[in-house]
């Protein structure tokens, strides 16, 4: 029997909730067309709201999607995760039943956890002077999404949350991959969820002065910030032998994972750390830099992030970088923070399967400090056999995932 490092792991199901709507198809339709899902946003209890747009899911009614007791006892981020998980599990089971139980794990990342509940209950306590909901703690805890998914499907293997800001989902997926390789489990439900478009949290992001009041323009001259988003991305990943044994056909190979810490600054990114995570993912996947065809960049649209990531990409890919399609899809679905790595990996998988490099919309002109050609404004047909997805977080936590066509 091959050792754990050589146990191949595949992706068999994808699920998503985003500003584009419910489902992977809704997200990919927007991404492929280069159509932004960013919309006007007016939050209650937020006087003098400075930034007036976000990539949010308007009109979401949990009670119409989930059992009422479940909808009533969960935060928005958990509800998103449950819906995304249902889609991913449904796709994974379309060909043959999954095996639930103690050989299936659940790892769901979130940067904040139950932000909407937290904001509402603090307002009740400090301002309205009304009774705090007795389910507040079970709603806000970051592991709520993972626990509810585990309970709903009877996945009795390892179950936990990863909270590492914008790298949460990517690290959750990477840890799932490592547990599969170590033969601790055979299947894992992985991803991330975030729903923090609540008044106090939104004001806190405004105070950081990293959000744009106009349009998010990653890698472009005159870019001035990010746009917040909400949503969830969930994937079913399996050991290849387990997937094939149940008669299912993989969507792609989850080939590699790399993570690193800058150990430099709590908010300022470092190109060396970002480059190290990409190099580690390539090494883990057994890929040479020239074998990568597409990179879904972290690409937030902030001045520092984009120039830092560009320097990291140059360090890793050198003179071969112009031959690789690199783009950021955050202007379409927003920066979903703890969910970003999963949503963007789903985009990268769709790109690989459709052989199409997604666009970086809102791009105006090249900035000398950034990559020169981030697939500006329109998708391009592209032969893609291997792709990377980058996530770089506050706290200096970097994560990179590599996927390849299944063969």
């Amino acid at each position: 029997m091959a050792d754990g490092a050589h146990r191949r792991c595949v992706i068999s199901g994808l699920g998503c909730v985003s500003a584009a709507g419910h489902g992977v198809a809704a997200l990919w339709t927007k991404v492929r067309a280069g159509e932004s899902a960013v919309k006007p946003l007016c939050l209650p209890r937020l006087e003098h709201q400075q930034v007036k747009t976000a990539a949010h899911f308007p009109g979401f009614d949990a009670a119409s999607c989930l059992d009422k007791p479940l909808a009533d006892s969960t935060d928005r981020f958990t509800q998103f995760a449950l819906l995304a998980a249902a889609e991913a599990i449904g796709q994974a089971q379309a060909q043959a039943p999954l095996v639930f139980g103690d050989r299936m794990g659940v790892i769901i990342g979130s940067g904040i956890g139950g932000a909407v509940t937290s904001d509402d209950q603090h307002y009740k306590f400090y301002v309205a002077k009304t009774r705090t909901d007795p389910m507040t703690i079970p709603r806000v805890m970051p592991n709520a999404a993972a626990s509810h998914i585990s309970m709903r499907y009877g996945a009795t293997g390892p179950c936990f949350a990863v909270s590492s800001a914008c790298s949460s989902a990517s690290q959750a997926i990477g840890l799932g991959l490592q547990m599969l390789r170590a033969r601790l489990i055979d299947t894992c439900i992985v991803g991330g969820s975030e729903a923090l478009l609540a008044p106090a949290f939104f004001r806190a992001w405004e105070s950081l002065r990293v959000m744009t009041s106009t349009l998010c323009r990653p890698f472009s001259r005159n870019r001035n910030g990010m746009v917040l988003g909400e949503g969830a991305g969930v994937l079913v990943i399996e050991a290849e032998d387990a997937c094939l044994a149940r008669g299912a056909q993989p969507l792609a190979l989850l080939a590699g994972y790399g993570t690193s810490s800058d150990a430099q600054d709590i908010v300022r990114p470092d190109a060396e750390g970002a480059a190290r995570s990409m190099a580690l993912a390539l090494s883990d996947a057994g890929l040479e830099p020239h074998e990568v065809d597409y990179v879904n960049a972290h690409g937030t649209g902030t001045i520092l992030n984009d120039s830092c990531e560009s320097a990291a990409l140059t360090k890793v890919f050198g003179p071969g970088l112009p031959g690789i399609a690199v783009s950021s899809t955050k202007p379409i679905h927003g920066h979903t923070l703890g969910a970003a790595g999963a949503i963007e990996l789903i985009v990268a998988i769709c790109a690989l399967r459709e052989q199409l490099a997604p666009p970086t919309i809102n791009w105006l002109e090249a900035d000398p400090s950034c990559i020169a050609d981030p697939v500006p404004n329109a998708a391009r047909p592209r032969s893609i056999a291997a792709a990377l997805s980058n996530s770089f977080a506050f706290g200096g936590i970097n994560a990179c995932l590599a996927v390849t066509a299944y063969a």
Side-chain angles (χ1 to χ4, degrees):
M1 181 179 289
D3 63 32
H6 293 94
R7 193 187 198 195
R8 299 212 317 168
C9 301
V10 300
I11 298 156
S12 59
L14 306 174
C16 185
V17 173
S18 71
H22 181 193
V24 171
L27 172 68
W28 181 241
T29 296
K30 290 277 191 187
V31 169
R32 183 174 50 202
E35 181 181 344
S36 177
V38 177
K39 312 169 189 71
L41 175 68
C42 183
L43 290 168
R45 309 193 300 268
L46 183 54
E47 296 180 7
H48 314 300
Q49 185 175 331
Q50 299 160 15
V51 177
K52 302 183 187 302
T53 59
H56 60 108
F57 190 176
F60 172 67
D61 178 19
S64 69
C65 308
L66 302 169
D67 295 340
K68 190 175 187 304
L70 185 58
D72 289 345
S73 62
T74 51
D75 184 84
R76 189 176 176 96
F77 97 104
T78 296
Q79 295 160 3
F80 284 169
L82 283 165
L83 293 181
E87 181 184 16
I89 290 168
Q91 183 178 28
Q93 294 202 106
Q95 300 176 70
L98 282 168
V99 180
F100 296 95
D102 60 10
R103 296 295 296 173
M104 177 181 282
V106 182
I107 312 172
I108 303 294
S110 183
I112 302 295
V116 173
T117 297
S118 179
D119 194 80
D120 287 346
Q121 298 307 314
H122 280 94
Y123 180 82
K124 284 183 179 182
F125 182 78
Y126 287 111
V127 181
K129 309 294 185 184
T130 57
R131 181 173 178 265
T132 301
D133 189 323
M135 288 296 289
T136 294
I137 297 304
R139 285 172 183 254
V140 302
M141 58 191 193
N143 66 297
S147 293
H148 276 288
I149 291 170
S150 171
M151 290 185 289
R152 190 172 200 187
Y153 296 100
T156 56
C159 175
F160 56 94
V162 174
S163 189
S164 49
C166 309
S167 292
S168 299
S170 291
Q171 288 199 318
I173 296 165
L175 285 168
L177 171 64
Q178 291 177 334
M179 294 181 78
L180 290 171
R181 287 174 172 171
R183 301 184 182 275
L184 300 175
I185 50 176
D186 296 322
T187 309
C188 204
I189 302 167
V190 293
S193 188
E194 204 81 88
L196 51 59
L197 300 180
F201 288 92
F202 201 82
R203 174 49 56 84
W205 277 98
E206 287 182 333
S207 299
L208 277 172
R209 298 184 179 181
V210 295
M211 292 205 297
T212 179
S213 60
T214 54
L215 294 174
C216 178
R217 307 181 188 278
F219 303 112
S220 175
R221 186 190 290 273
N222 296 326
R223 67 192 181 279
N224 64 2
M226 55 179 266
V227 60
L228 277 178
E230 63 177 0
V234 174
L235 303 87
V236 177
I237 61 175
E238 304 182 61
E240 180 186 38
D241 52 0
C243 184
L244 297 180
R246 68 180 183 87
Q249 178 63 31
L251 301 173
L253 186 71
L254 183 55
Y257 166 58
T259 188
S260 68
S261 175
D262 294 346
Q264 294 285 335
D265 189 277
I266 198 70
V267 295
R268 187 182 182 92
D270 176 67
E272 291 294 324
R276 192 161 57 252
S277 70
M278 285 187 272
L280 287 168
L282 289 174
S283 176
D284 190 46
L287 291 170
E288 294 297 327
H290 71 269
E291 294 179 285
V292 174
D293 305 298
Y294 172 63
V295 177
N296 187 287
H298 188 59
T300 63
T302 63
I303 293 171
L304 280 177
N305 176 87
D306 293 357
S307 58
C308 175
E309 186 168 12
S310 294
L313 287 162
T314 299
K315 182 176 180 63
V316 172
F317 295 104
L321 181 58
I324 299 169
V326 180
S327 67
S328 169
T329 51
K330 283 186 171 69
I332 296 169
H333 50 69
H335 189 351
T336 56
L337 307 175
I343 290 173
E344 290 162 23
L345 181 64
I346 288 170
V347 168
I349 293 165
C350 290
L352 184 152
R353 290 178 61 79
E354 195 160 318
Q355 299 290 282
L356 187 76
T360 305
I361 65 170
N362 303 330
W363 192 86
L364 296 173
E365 59 179 309
D367 185 312
S369 72
C370 293
I371 55 173
D373 181 18
V375 193
N377 300 319
R380 293 177 187 165
R382 169 82 194 204
S383 176
I384 303 174
L388 299 184
S389 178
N390 285 339
S391 297
F392 307 136
F394 279 178
I397 301 174
N398 312 294
C400 179
L401 295 162
V403 290
T404 60
Y406 180 73

